Structure formats: C-alpha cells, structure tokens
Amino acid sequence: MTSATYQKRKDELEAYFDRTASAAWARLTSDAPVSGIRATVRAGRDAMRETLLSWLPEDLTGRRILDAGCGAGQLAIEAARRGADVVAVDLSQTLVNLAAERSEALTLPGSIQFRVGDMFNPGDSTFDHVVAMDSLIHYNLDDFEDGVRKLASFADNTVLFTFAPRTPLLSAMHAAGKLFPRSDRSPAICPHTAKEIGDRFTDRALLRSKRIKSGFYISMALEMAG
C-alpha cells in the first residue's frame, strides 16, 4: 500500500483518531451515555461486530486472528474471549492504549498482542482469519481493492471486511459534512456500490454478505475466501 492517496488518507486518519476524536471514540466504545445519533452508531457497530464474530468459528482456541484497524479493541477482546490468539493493529496510539488498558482487566482464554502501525504491515504474515471492521471505509475504490487483497494474502481461511454502501442518505451526509469547518470534519467516508465491489473481486469467492443499518450507521459486511 504505497499510493499517494492511501498515504494521505492514512495520515489524516492517524491525526483524527489520535487527537481530534480520541475522547469521543473512547466514550462511544464504552457504556457511557451518548447522544441519540451516537447511540444509533453504537448500536450499529455492535450489530456489525456481532455479525462478523458470528462468521468465525464459535471455538477459536488456537486460531490466529488479525484484527486490522482494531480501534478500541472490542472485537479483539471478544475473539480472545473465545480462545483466539489475536494480533490487533491500529494507527492510533491513543486507541491502542485504551484497548490494551481495557483488556488488562479481563481474564481471557486467548491472547491479544496490540500493535501500533499500519494494518497492512501487521508484523506477521499468516493468520487463520483476518477481520477489518469499518477500517477500509475511508479509502477510494482502488485503494480499497488493494487493501482487501493485501489483507486476504495474510488469511489462510477467510477475510471479513466492511464497506460503506452508496445510498442517498450516505451521499447526503457526505455533502453535509463539507459544510462544517475543516477543523471539525472527520475524514470522509468513501461509499461504494455492491456491484463496484463485486466487479473488483470476480477472481475471488465472496461467501456471504449482510447489510447493517442503525440510524446514521450504514455498513455492509462481506466474507471472502482467503
């Protein structure tokens, strides 16, 4: 992953999640009260995480999982609770620190190695399963395809990933976001249609999909053979 567009967006995401939005994401990924809009996002993310976890074997004992773009570590913790040995990677030092702090208080049958860095260079090259929940949604179609193919190269069995499906609501939200002062904007989501994604992976087996919508949270999950 060396394109100029990828590097620019990666730098924007690192700055956003490490500084601008770190407190908001810590709250969103906790049990703390949040606004109505953020509550719908939290509910949508919870449903998506449960969907992706349900696509993995129930017993993950001895399985190696890459959580690519782990954020505050919720998916990594649940996978380790089911016995997985997880490598959890994120660009944000702040979020990785938060995830590690939360996991330290738990007794988990599996293990988690939290790493700060590029999810496409996790430090290991072989996993049973790779999961990328909402960590590819900020990239244009070319970088998205390159990213999925890179992650799939690590997976012996399956790679699970999400994308933002292009809908009138998402398009309206994207346009409205441009009205905010630049300092208040989050990095833009890049919506894609299911056909665009399918056309990019005609050489791969797409095993199943599911769309999750909860208020302002709209995301599509796909499972691909590794």
Side-chain angles (χ1 to χ4, degrees):
M1 297 292 293
T2 58
S3 74
T5 52
Y6 169 72
Q7 292 297 330
K8 181 176 183 295
R9 182 50 56 92
K10 182 169 75 74
D11 291 344
E12 292 171 352
L13 291 169
E14 182 177 4
Y16 177 72
F17 286 107
D18 243 353
R19 294 185 286 277
T20 307
S22 58
W25 273 88
R27 192 173 186 84
L28 181 68
T29 58
S30 71
D31 295 327
V34 292
S35 69
I37 290 176
R38 287 184 175 175
T40 68
V41 173
R42 177 189 281 171
R45 286 178 54 81
D46 288 348
M48 179 57 77
R49 185 169 58 256
E50 288 304 312
T51 293
L52 296 175
L53 287 166
S54 76
W55 290 357
L56 297 172
E58 183 61 32
D59 184 0
L60 291 171
T61 303
R63 302 268 184 152
R64 300 192 73 240
I65 306 291
L66 172 62
D67 185 358
C70 66
Q74 293 162 291
L75 189 145
I77 288 171
E78 290 306 312
R81 205 186 298 276
R82 286 161 51 178
D85 295 317
V86 185
V87 173
V89 183
D90 200 275
L91 287 171
S92 170
Q93 179 76 66
T94 302
L95 290 181
V96 168
N97 289 347
L98 175 64
E101 179 182 340
R102 289 175 173 176
S103 68
E104 285 172 0
L106 304 173
T107 300
L108 300 170
S111 65
I112 310 175
Q113 297 179 49
F114 286 108
R115 300 176 182 175
V116 178
D118 191 326
M119 63 185 175
F120 302 117
N121 293 287
D124 297 64
S125 60
T126 304
F127 299 88
D128 294 291
H129 305 277
V130 174
V131 184
M133 177 180 151
D134 296 347
S135 51
L136 294 162
I137 61 175
H138 299 283
Y139 298 106
N140 67 39
L141 194 56
D142 288 338
D143 290 337
F144 183 97
E145 178 187 358
D146 289 347
V148 171
R149 290 187 181 279
K150 182 67 173 177
L151 294 176
S153 73
F154 301 141
D156 287 340
N157 293 300
T158 58
V159 56
L160 316 179
F161 61 94
T162 65
F163 69 95
R166 186 177 298 133
T167 67
L169 175 58
L170 269 182
S171 297
M173 290 166 59
H174 179 76
K178 294 180 180 179
L179 302 177
F180 288 97
R182 185 171 297 277
S183 60
D184 292 339
R185 297 180 198 170
S186 62
I189 289 173
C190 295
H192 309 301
T193 67
K195 184 178 186 305
E196 287 173 328
I197 299 297
D199 287 348
R200 292 293 180 120
F201 297 107
T202 56
D203 61 321
R204 313 286 302 203
L206 295 176
L207 305 176
R208 52 186 156 179
S209 64
K210 185 172 182 178
R211 184 174 182 267
I212 300 291
K213 182 182 183 302
S214 174
F216 277 73
Y217 181 89
I218 306 171
S219 189
M220 177 79 78
L222 287 174
E223 179 183 37
M224 177 188 289

